[in-house]
Amino acid sequence: MDRTDMDVDAELMQRFSCMGTTDKDVLITEFQRLLGFQLNPAGCAFFLDMTNWNLQAAIGAYYDFESPNVITPSMSFVEDVTIGEGESVPPDTSFTKTWRIQNPGAESWPPGVSLKYVGGDQFGHVNTVMVKSLDPQEVTDVSVQMRSPTAAGMYQGQWRMCTTTGLFYGDIIWIILTVEVGGLLGVTQQLSSFETEFNTQPQRQVQGDFNPFASPQKNKHDVPGAAWEHTQDPDHQNRLSHNEGIHGTYPFGQS
């Protein structure tokens, strides 16, 4: 190897050992990706700093340190409950995204687990929702309140389960969202919420075909004559019956 090559290698090593903040951020992101988002950024920075920001050494150190001591929970994605294939949302509209997940493992989840946003488009300010600790084979639905972007197009984001110690586990959960003018999903969810709230009001009975936006139908009290029928004085009716009986006895009237 000539002197020029040695100088180049030395320069590269010096640059690597003197990385700035931007380069470290890139290494942290790559570290997370290679681990399948099993560790939060602070944990990635710890192992990278411990190994002088050598990515390969940091990954080895992580597995040497964590693998013997950690039992990673199991989680599998079952299905999309809302925002399925072919459904779209209008721009700048609130909606609820719901996934169905399962614990397929033999161990219950530890307490305090949550579903966290890990990449892509976030759709609002919510980045964490608490999830109940599932027993083996148990299934549950997890919902996140979101808001669609203001511009039409295709968007995607990733979420993942996480323990209180920052250990990510299970399948990466995706949301793939189509935003277009005329999308109906957000409006449909709002109408469904309105009807549910209406039905839960006290002393409110709603028929199955109830339309909250239809004009009120007239009832029998609004029909002419119906009020007279229901407000007859009982004594007046008795007197009428008595008079009818008299007229029946004296067809030509009383003398």
Side-chain angles (χ1 to χ4, degrees):
M1 180 179 296
D2 56 28
R3 184 175 182 81
T4 303
D5 292 337
M6 293 179 62
D7 291 341
V8 171
D9 290 342
E11 183 179 358
L12 290 174
M13 290 298 295
Q14 183 178 6
R15 288 183 179 181
F16 184 80
S17 62
C18 300
M19 285 182 176
T21 303
T22 302
D23 294 320
K24 289 183 178 180
D25 289 342
V26 171
L27 283 174
I28 290 173
T29 301
E30 186 66 13
F31 191 100
Q32 270 196 300
R33 188 187 68 81
L34 292 173
L35 290 180
F37 297 96
Q38 294 185 18
L39 197 63
N40 59 27
C44 293
F46 169 80
F47 285 102
L48 284 164
D49 186 66
M50 184 175 64
T51 56
N52 198 26
W53 295 90
N54 183 304
L55 183 60
Q56 183 176 358
I59 292 175
Y62 168 79
Y63 281 113
D64 289 342
F65 181 79
E66 294 287 350
S67 295
N69 303 314
V70 174
I71 299 177
T72 304
S74 299
M75 188 281 288
S76 61
F77 167 75
V78 178
E79 63 179 342
D80 291 300
V81 179
T82 62
I83 318 293
E85 183 178 356
E87 295 178 302
S88 60
V89 180
D92 195 25
T93 300
S94 297
F95 65 95
T96 303
K97 172 61 186 176
T98 303
W99 299 276
R100 184 160 294 153
I101 60 176
Q102 182 182 26
N103 174 8
E107 301 288 337
S108 297
W109 290 355
V113 296
S114 60
L115 181 68
K116 289 191 173 185
Y117 162 77
V118 295
D121 299 294
Q122 188 172 345
F123 307 113
H125 66 278
V126 179
N127 57 17
T128 303
V129 292
M130 300 304 297
V131 180
K132 62 178 288 190
S133 298
L134 298 184
D135 293 327
Q137 308 307 315
E138 187 178 359
V139 176
T140 192
D141 289 351
V142 183
S143 297
V144 180
Q145 298 299 318
M146 297 183 173
R147 192 169 193 88
S148 61
T150 56
M154 292 283 294
Y155 299 86
Q156 57 83 22
Q158 300 92 46
W159 295 68
R160 202 165 187 207
M161 291 297 301
C162 185
T163 65
T164 55
T165 60
L167 177 65
F168 288 92
Y169 66 94
D171 296 340
I172 295 177
I173 300 178
W174 288 73
I175 171 173
I176 300 177
L177 184 67
T178 301
V179 177
E180 61 181 5
V181 177
L184 297 177
L185 183 62
V187 177
T188 301
Q189 289 187 347
Q190 291 172 11
L191 289 178
S192 177
S193 175
F194 177 85
E195 184 173 353
T196 300
E197 181 180 355
F198 191 89
N199 287 337
T200 56
Q201 292 181 5
Q203 298 180 351
R204 181 80 68 176
Q205 294 182 352
V206 178
Q207 300 298 326
D209 57 350
F210 170 74
N211 181 354
F213 300 103
S215 299
Q217 296 182 354
K218 292 184 177 181
N219 56 33
K220 61 183 179 180
H221 294 286
D222 300 321
V223 178
W228 179 86
E229 179 182 348
H230 288 277
T231 57
Q232 289 292 327
D233 178 55
D235 295 335
H236 179 66
Q237 290 181 347
N238 291 335
R239 289 195 297 271
L240 287 177
S241 299
H242 179 69
N243 291 336
E244 288 175 357
I246 293 175
H247 287 295
T249 306
Y250 302 96
F252 298 103
Q254 297 182 13
S255 56

